[in-house]
Amino acid sequence: QEIENHTKMTEFILVGLSKHPPSQSVLFWALMFLYRVTLAGNSMSVFLVGANSQLHTPMHSFHGNLSLRDILFSTSAVPLVVVNSLQNFPTISCRSCFAQLAIRAFLARAECFLLAIMAYGRFVAISSPLGYNLVMSSRACILMALVAWTTAFLLTVMPILLFPISFCGHNAIDHFSCEVQATFKLLCPHTVSLEVAVMVCAVISRPVPLIFILTSYLGILRAVLRIHPITMRLKAFSACGSPLVVVAIYFGTLAYIYVTPQNKKSQDRDKIVSLFYAAVTPVLNPLIYTLRNEDVKAALRGVACR
């Protein structure tokens, strides 16, 4: 559907797998399964952290924040893709597309800041265990969580409020949903200021937290290497290994989507990686953070017995 320049656009066409009908049913059932597992695992994590007083600790509270974020992020993307996977060339209104873009950007940035805070908490716990309760007090954790969510919100809405958004040309988005790169290809040429503002906010919300995380883990590595009993050293490495896996998966996926050069083949791969980011990563977080934790296992057994 060709649209003249500066004509008001009312809806977008989501191409997705419309050119590959046999894959649509497979995608439908796979996403249905992953979404249900995401809701079950992360809802359980949020419930256990909120209901069990033994889990009212700094790290568990941030695990609860992360699980809540995973529920919201998966819900903002997966159900729409599930519904659209059964249609050929489904459409989405411009307002719904903008809302999905903003919500996903907000939640993605919130996770970056939450992961950075959690890395700092582990650094304090290993390098200065005696001062941990003072630095990571309940009041400080609540304040840091509020700062993370508020900063993510401001970095999301500021470019939208400061610069107008207008689209030119066709209205077909070559993706399953309103993904940033696929949607921004439809922007008019005079929206350079908006793209620059979005890029600045992306740098603040992604590379900066990543650098902070890597610096924290380098400090953790130095502190762990000073621990002389080998058993204690291995225990410390094991405690930090799982969070590093989450960081590697999360930022590795983002780097692949937004840093690798774009061509026709990479666009098709980006669709799969974007689905992995939206549907698979939220499933992994409760498995890595929650079910490997002995305190959480004990709380879960207590709930099951009652």
Side-chain angles (χ1 to χ4, degrees):
Q1 180 181 354
E2 293 297 331
I3 297 178
E4 295 296 331
N5 286 349
H6 308 295
T7 299
K8 186 176 181 180
M9 213 175 276
T10 59
E11 65 180 15
F12 295 109
I13 298 172
L14 300 174
V15 177
L17 284 176
S18 297
K19 299 176 182 178
H20 308 280
S23 304
Q24 290 178 313
S25 59
V26 176
L27 179 66
F28 174 83
W29 290 111
L31 290 181
M32 280 287 290
F33 172 75
L34 290 171
Y35 183 60
R36 291 186 177 189
V37 174
T38 296
L39 290 183
N42 287 287
S43 297
M44 179 194 68
S45 300
V46 173
F47 170 75
L48 290 176
V49 171
N52 195 301
S53 59
Q54 293 182 347
L55 300 181
H56 293 174
T57 62
M59 282 298 103
H60 288 306
S61 67
F62 286 116
H63 291 166
N65 274 265
L66 207 57
S67 294
L68 177 62
R69 176 266 170 202
D70 286 339
I71 293 172
L72 296 174
F73 187 85
S74 186
T75 302
S76 71
V78 176
L80 177 65
V81 179
V82 169
V83 173
N84 290 342
S85 65
L86 299 179
Q87 305 178 45
N88 286 324
F89 301 102
T91 60
I92 183 173
S93 68
C94 285
R95 290 186 178 182
S96 297
C97 187
F98 297 155
Q100 187 182 62
L101 276 173
I103 292 171
R104 292 184 65 180
F106 162 60
L107 294 171
R109 286 164 177 160
E111 178 159 10
C112 292
F113 293 124
L114 289 172
L115 290 175
I117 294 171
M118 292 166 70
Y120 174 70
R122 289 187 181 85
F123 169 73
V124 175
I126 292 178
S127 64
S128 181
L130 296 179
Y132 179 78
N133 291 331
L134 179 63
V135 176
M136 300 295 290
S137 63
S138 298
R139 183 177 180 181
C141 290
I142 292 173
L143 181 61
M144 285 189 285
L146 286 174
V147 169
W149 288 100
T150 304
T151 305
F153 177 76
L154 292 176
L155 289 174
T156 302
V157 300
M158 282 176 60
I160 300 174
L161 296 177
L162 292 177
F163 301 99
I165 299 176
S166 55
F167 294 91
C168 300
H170 65 82
N171 66 335
I173 298 177
D174 190 12
H175 215 280
F176 299 104
S177 60
C178 291
E179 198 271 336
V180 174
Q181 279 192 316
T183 307
F184 270 41
K185 289 178 181 178
L186 309 182
L187 287 173
C188 294
H190 65 265
T191 56
V192 177
S193 299
L194 172 64
E195 295 182 53
V196 171
V198 170
M199 180 64 66
V200 171
C201 292
V203 169
I204 295 173
S205 60
R206 291 187 175 95
V208 171
L210 178 59
I211 292 172
F212 186 84
I213 290 170
L214 294 177
T215 303
S216 297
Y217 277 106
L218 285 175
I220 291 172
L221 178 63
R222 292 179 58 187
V224 169
L225 291 177
R226 290 198 295 265
I227 300 175
H228 292 293
I230 296 178
T231 54
M232 294 296 293
R233 186 183 301 174
L234 292 176
K235 186 177 180 180
F237 274 127
S238 177
C240 296
S242 297
L244 270 176
V245 171
V246 173
V247 170
I249 292 173
Y250 181 74
F251 284 98
T253 305
L254 288 178
Y256 181 87
I257 294 174
Y258 295 110
V259 177
T260 54
Q262 293 290 304
N263 54 53
K264 180 59 181 176
K265 290 184 178 180
S266 70
Q267 287 177 6
D268 294 335
R269 288 195 299 266
D270 286 351
K271 294 179 185 179
I272 304 302
V273 175
S274 180
L275 273 184
F276 176 88
Y277 173 66
V280 179
T281 305
V283 175
L284 298 177
N285 283 346
L287 296 175
I288 293 174
Y289 277 120
T290 304
L291 296 181
R292 295 185 74 256
N293 187 282
E294 294 300 326
D295 294 335
V296 175
K297 288 181 182 178
L300 184 60
R301 283 193 293 267
V303 171
C305 290
R306 288 197 295 272

